[in-house]
Amino acid sequence: MNKRQIELLKFLIKQVDWIKGNVLANQLGVSSRTIRTDIQMINSIFSKDNKELILSSKQNGYLLSD
């Protein structure tokens, strides 16, 4: 994982509710596409038993799973 992906995880850990991709992108100074790519990478590393670490919803955004 790179530094930006670690920062993304740190930011998501602090969230208690869904957060939109564009908000994450603005916080980290990247595009929404970069956020999607980073989340896919993080999920590929940390997901277990087909359960993703970061949940995604087109309507709600992103949320760290329980």
Side-chain angles (χ1 to χ4, degrees), residues 12-24:
L12 286 171
I13 287 169
K14 297 175 186 176
Q15 301 302 306
V16 293
D17 203 4
W18 292 90
I19 185 166
K20 298 281 186 179
N22 62 338
V23 174
L24 289 170

Side-chain angles (χ1 to χ4, degrees), residues 4-59:
R4 183 185 61 245
Q5 292 164 346
I6 293 167
E7 290 302 313
L8 174 58
L9 268 178
K10 287 179 182 178
F11 191 80
L12 286 171
I13 287 169
K14 297 175 186 176
Q15 301 302 306
V16 293
D17 203 4
W18 292 90
I19 185 166
K20 298 281 186 179
N22 62 338
V23 174
L24 289 170
N26 287 336
Q27 283 288 331
L28 297 173
V30 297
S31 69
S32 295
R33 178 69 192 133
T34 299
I35 295 297
R36 288 193 302 273
T37 301
D38 284 350
I39 287 174
Q40 288 174 341
M41 177 63 71
I42 292 166
N43 277 338
S44 72
I45 295 169
F46 291 104
S47 296
K48 295 181 181 178
D49 301 323
N50 291 331
K51 183 178 179 188
E52 295 180 330
L53 176 66
I54 302 171
L55 305 175
S56 63
S57 164
K58 288 185 180 184
Q59 185 176 10

